[in-house]
Amino acid sequence: MTKPRPVAAACAALILLFSLSACRKNAAPTESDGFVMGSFFSVKVYGGDEGLGREILTDAGRLESLISVTRTDSDISRLIENGTGTPDKETAALLRRSVDLGKDTCGALDVTLGAVPALWGFSGEEPRLPAEADLKAALATAGLDNVVFSGDTVTLKNGAKPDLGAVGKGAALDAAAAALKSQKVSAVVSFGGSVLVFGQKPGGGPWTVGVRDPKGDEASYFATLSFALQADEAVFVSTSGSYEKTFTENGKTYHHILDPKTGYPVENDLVSVTAVASDGFLSDALSTALFVLGPGDRADALCKKYLTGAVFVYKDGTVSVTDGLADAFSLTEDAPYRLRQPEAAA
Ligand code: ADP
Ligand code: MG
């Protein structure tokens, strides 16, 4: 019997492999894809209305038009421009939720950091090492208390520039799950490094999601996570990795996950964190936050409070998996990684 292939985070090729095997005995899914928030977005819906996938894609584009920092006419850009305003309810709610969660991560997730990633230029064609003085000035504008909510009005203090890049894909996947609910469908929605699996897997058995191999290309995975879901149940898997957006200058490689304390890319033992939750915003936000924090008591507390669990991949080729995912997790046969011994794991 052919082993079911996993759905890979951030990988269209593997999703396609998955769908070929998964639908052997089932009707082929309706597939829609596009490029949203700078990332590949793909929807596969098994059953239901033909147009559902398109609707989900359009909705993700709508969210992008609200929160994009590269579009001058977005809600967020207008807010930054004017310093105050009444953004769309969805923009305000996402900003508020991000700020609140950021406080609970002790600032490891800081969506007010926007001036800093803008200086690094990671969302553009030419990322570069900023001058130290510029970085200091940009960092001085950040602070979770610099976003003030009063009724429908949002005010930015101190020149803070919100950037919802660390949470936007997860929020779009939440919207996708809401659209899929009660439609009697199953679906896989993949958006950059985040994946939503929804409903019962066609043909039975658990869904299998590949965990991206940080050393490999976009199509490679070193481990799988399995989830047996009921109708209308959703699992969100999000990976943040230092391999995702990088550039090298003067022999040093820089990546896009920034330490809010310094403004520089996080430097710790990690190469990636995968966060699993029943909520897309939380899995996306916390994959970033856990990367910044690194494993330890704070990460454990966040996992317990918000996540099903997390997978940490370290520079030395070891992997740790929190208890909540121990049963779902398997290394692939030839994975160049090994599990950390419990006493060595944080
Ligand atoms: P990706 O965008 O590759 O999915 P993440 O979800 O980890 O990766 O988000 C990284 C993006 O979030 C960066 O490109 C930057 O815009 C922003 N960012 C970087 N570091 C932080 C941080 N510590 N807190 C909040 N946002 C951050
Ligand atoms: Mg994230």
Side-chain angles (χ1 to χ4, degrees), residues 108-110 113 117 163 165-166 169 240 244 256-258 260 284 288 292:
L109 175 81
D110 187 344
L113 201 61
D163 173 349
K169 295 187 202 65
S240 289
E244 195 65 53
H256 73 311
I257 307 171
L258 303 171
D284 192 6
T288 308
V292 175

Side-chain angles (χ1 to χ4, degrees), residues 58-306:
T58 304
D59 204 35
R62 196 189 50 80
L63 183 60
E64 178 184 23
S65 72
L66 293 176
I67 66 170
S68 168
V69 285
T70 51
R71 291 195 194 178
T72 50
D73 61 345
S74 75
D75 253 7
I76 288 289
S77 293
R78 271 199 300 268
L79 187 62
I80 290 170
E81 175 81 23
N82 300 328
T84 187
T86 49
D88 186 282
K89 282 199 163 49
E90 204 175 335
T91 312
L94 187 57
L95 187 54
R96 187 170 212 148
R97 201 175 173 207
S98 303
V99 167
D100 288 348
L101 184 65
K103 288 179 181 166
D104 216 10
T105 67
C106 303
L109 175 81
D110 187 344
V111 295
T112 67
L113 201 61
V116 179
L119 265 187
W120 285 93
F122 279 110
S123 55
E125 298 286 300
E126 286 175 30
R128 68 254 148 195
L129 177 63
E132 207 171 325
D134 294 343
L135 207 52
K136 255 195 172 159
L139 199 57
T141 67
L144 292 166
D145 290 328
N146 290 337
V147 190
V148 180
F149 300 90
S150 168
D152 291 339
T153 303
V154 179
T155 303
L156 303 174
K157 293 194 309 191
N158 199 34
K161 292 186 167 59
D163 173 349
L164 296 169
V167 302
K169 295 187 202 65
L173 290 183
D174 280 330
L180 293 163
K181 208 160 183 181
S182 307
Q183 301 293 318
K184 297 193 168 53
V185 295
S186 302
V188 179
V189 187
S190 171
F191 191 7
S194 298
V195 173
L196 155 68
V197 283
F198 184 90
Q200 284 174 322
K201 188 182 153 196
W207 297 99
T208 312
V209 178
V211 184
R212 164 95 182 256
D213 179 356
K215 291 184 200 145
D217 61 22
E218 281 189 353
S220 53
Y221 54 95
F222 75 95
T224 56
L225 292 164
S226 304
F227 307 103
L229 303 185
Q230 301 302 313
D232 278 351
E233 232 185 315
V235 165
F236 301 83
V237 180
S238 181
T239 300
S240 289
S242 55
Y243 52 81
E244 195 65 53
K245 287 179 193 152
T246 63
F247 70 95
T248 302
E249 200 167 310
N250 300 328
K252 191 168 161 56
T253 299
Y254 300 89
H255 65 85
H256 73 311
I257 307 171
L258 303 171
D259 184 343
K261 290 203 177 95
T262 64
Y264 284 91
V266 172
E267 286 198 48
N268 57 23
D269 295 341
L270 293 169
V271 280
S272 78
V273 176
T274 297
V276 177
S278 53
D279 179 291
F281 165 84
L282 289 175
S283 70
D284 192 6
L286 291 174
S287 65
T288 308
L290 293 179
F291 192 103
V292 175
L293 285 171
D297 291 346
R298 271 191 199 153
D300 285 349
L302 288 169
C303 280
K304 277 208 183 86
K305 189 165 174 185
Y306 296 111

Side-chain angles (χ1 to χ4, degrees), residues 300 314 318-321 323 338-346:
D300 285 349
Y314 302 81
T318 60
V319 178
S320 64
V321 182
D323 291 347
R338 62 187 193 285
L339 283 174
R340 281 199 163 195
Q341 294 311 308
E343 60 274 18

